Amino acid sequence: MPHSRPTLRQFLLKEYRTHGTEKDLVFLLEDIATACRVISSRIRNGSFAGNLGSAGSTNVQGETQKQLDVIANEEFESHCRNCSRVAALVSEEVDEVTWIKDKPAVGDYIVYFDPLDGSSNLDVNLSVGSIFSIVQLKEAIDPSDDRSVLLPGTEQICAGYSIYGPATSLVITTGFGVHGFTNHLGTGEFRLVSPDMIIPEDTNEFAINASRHSFWDQPIQRYFDECVSGPEGPRGKSFNMRWTASMVLDIHRILTRGGVFLYPVDSANSAAGGKLRLLYEANPMGYLMEQAGGLASTGRGRILDVVPTSSHQRVSVILGSKNEVTRIEEYFRD
Ligand code: AHM
Ligand code: MG
């Protein structure tokens, strides 16, 4: 019965009482949840509203923006602005930092987000999602300098994602485990369905875009080749492979049943630094992975320790079940 499951508000107020989660963070998370509900509805009705196609513009990464990329960005931004503690927004879809406060102070929040991840899947009616990360300022920063928002993933106090799939889900951490909610259509509430999500340490499933095999570094080729060599190969077992081209979905599957996700730097994307963005894709997913007992690595070190040098910086991403990520890191050391 849906009513036996705590709503997002009930859950967050419990976190406020037991862990001292700030009230303003509770309000901000509720506003983000509302943005996700609205984005979900806009996507479901996209064909009727005629907004599934291209927006006719490109973002700072040089990618063609979908109309729904732009719509999702507007929804995220307007709902985050409700919170009086939000000092700045960093979005995949906006070149510059969006400064909201002219005097960002200690305790204020910066929200980093990818409003519509995997949007190339929209035209073929496959699931997409939103990813977000929240950092709390430990000191006042200068809003005239966009580099002020370049803080490492270790500074995150909250991260999460939403999935617009058969159901609309919201998965969050505020540093006390990872918790999954599903939007209940009857009440309109996000309700807790997966408390304390934990990633199995071992797995026989991996996710990678195998069409890039010829571009990969040797450690990634070795890992992949061993996984597909079956019970007679060095791993002594069969592996399954899944790739949705939507990071939120691949990560959600891994959080649910284990696995490892790889989007490494390779010879074809190294000039850009990789494919996935550090501040609003790798860091939030890395934080969630660690909170669920998994690992998040570049192959050569912890993702959360990477010191950012630009807002839209890309990074090598390997995350998921602990023993697989550790193995891949060993291959890099070899
Ligand atoms: P996006 O933020 O522009 O949608 O790009 C990120 C997406 C990830 O969701 C996904 O893992 C990856 O790009 C897919 O890349 P590829 O098309 O190379 O498979
Ligand atoms: Mg993305």
Side-chain angles (χ1 to χ4, degrees):
M1 290 299 291
H3 292 92
S4 63
R5 300 182 184 275
T7 63
L8 178 65
R9 169 169 293 192
Q10 288 168 334
F11 172 86
L12 290 172
L13 288 177
K14 191 167 168 218
E15 290 227 315
Y16 159 74
R17 285 193 298 271
T18 50
H19 301 304
T21 303
E22 287 186 312
K23 276 262 177 72
D24 282 324
L25 183 60
V26 170
F27 297 146
L28 176 56
L29 277 169
E30 287 200 305
D31 279 322
I32 288 175
T34 303
C36 294
R37 273 199 302 267
V38 174
I39 293 168
S40 170
S41 158
R42 300 292 297 264
I43 290 169
R44 283 187 208 294
N45 290 307
S47 315
F48 307 114
N51 54 20
L52 279 188
S54 161
S57 50
T58 51
N59 64 16
V60 67
Q61 351 265 336
E63 299 158 343
T64 304
Q65 287 178 305
K66 303 274 186 194
Q67 292 177 58
L68 281 165
D69 280 323
V70 177
I71 290 167
N73 184 67
E74 286 167 1
E75 292 297 342
F76 235 89
E77 180 175 327
S78 69
H79 284 87
C80 287
R81 279 178 182 272
N82 287 341
C83 176
S84 60
R85 297 271 293 283
V86 173
L89 303 172
V90 180
S91 167
E92 175 175 330
E93 301 304 333
V94 181
D95 303 5
E96 312 286 333
V97 175
T98 303
W99 290 99
I100 295 176
K101 287 195 160 190
D102 47 16
K103 287 199 179 82
V106 177
D108 283 346
Y109 306 134
I110 299 177
V111 187
Y112 307 82
F113 55 94
D114 177 356
L116 205 48
D117 182 59
S119 53
S120 66
N121 279 331
L122 283 171
D123 295 340
V124 289
N125 196 21
L126 290 177
S127 302
V128 292
S130 304
I131 312 172
F132 64 92
S133 157
I134 301 170
V135 162
Q136 183 162 37
L137 295 178
K138 288 184 175 151
E139 55 190 45
I141 55 170
D142 176 7
S144 67
D145 184 358
D146 278 3
R147 286 173 302 178
S148 307
V149 302
L150 302 180
L151 299 163
T154 47
E155 299 292 313
Q156 294 173 101
I157 58 163
C158 178
Y161 62 83
S162 186
I163 296 182
Y164 315 117
T168 296
S169 306
L170 180 70
V171 175
I172 57 168
T173 183
T174 59
F176 302 97
V178 177
H179 311 284
F181 301 79
T182 294
N183 190 228
H184 178 249
L185 284 180
T187 57
E189 300 271 15
F190 275 108
R191 289 182 179 268
L192 183 65
V193 291
S194 309
D196 300 307
M197 297 171 86
I198 293 289
I199 304 173
E201 290 187 358
D202 292 299
T203 182
N204 54 6
E205 196 163 73
F206 65 99
I208 193 165
N209 181 345
S211 69
R212 306 184 70 85
H213 187 282
S214 62
F215 304 131
W216 293 334
D217 288 345
Q218 197 273 336
I220 301 293
Q221 282 189 349
R222 175 182 170 191
Y223 180 75
F224 175 90
D225 293 346
E226 289 181 0
C227 287
V228 296
S229 62
E232 305 307 320
R235 300 300 303 269
K237 62 178 182 177
S238 296
F239 278 75
N240 189 26
M241 191 178 84
R242 286 284 181 270
W243 185 250
T244 67
S246 189
M247 187 191 199
V248 277
L249 299 197
D250 286 317
I251 296 301
H252 192 64
R253 188 186 59 254
I254 290 169
L255 271 171
T256 307
R257 68 181 189 206
V260 61
F261 172 97
L262 304 95
Y263 212 124
V265 169
D266 60 37
S267 62
N269 66 27
S270 61
K275 161 86 180 183
L276 299 176
R277 276 52 58 109
L278 175 64
L279 292 179
Y280 39 78
E281 292 177 324
N283 273 345
M285 292 309 197
Y287 189 29
L288 287 159
M289 284 289 152
E290 291 190 3
Q291 282 289 317
L295 289 178
S297 174
T298 64
R300 296 187 163 87
R302 188 183 177 210
I303 286 176
L304 267 53
D305 285 335
V306 174
V307 178
T309 53
S310 72
S311 307
H312 300 286
Q313 171 178 352
R314 298 174 194 255
V315 69
S316 194
V317 173
I318 300 163
L319 22 93
S321 292
K322 192 181 257 177
N323 292 339
E324 291 303 297
V325 179
T326 302
R327 172 184 287 269
I328 297 165
E329 285 180 326
E330 278 164 13
Y331 289 3
F332 273 92
R333 278 196 291 277
D334 286 351

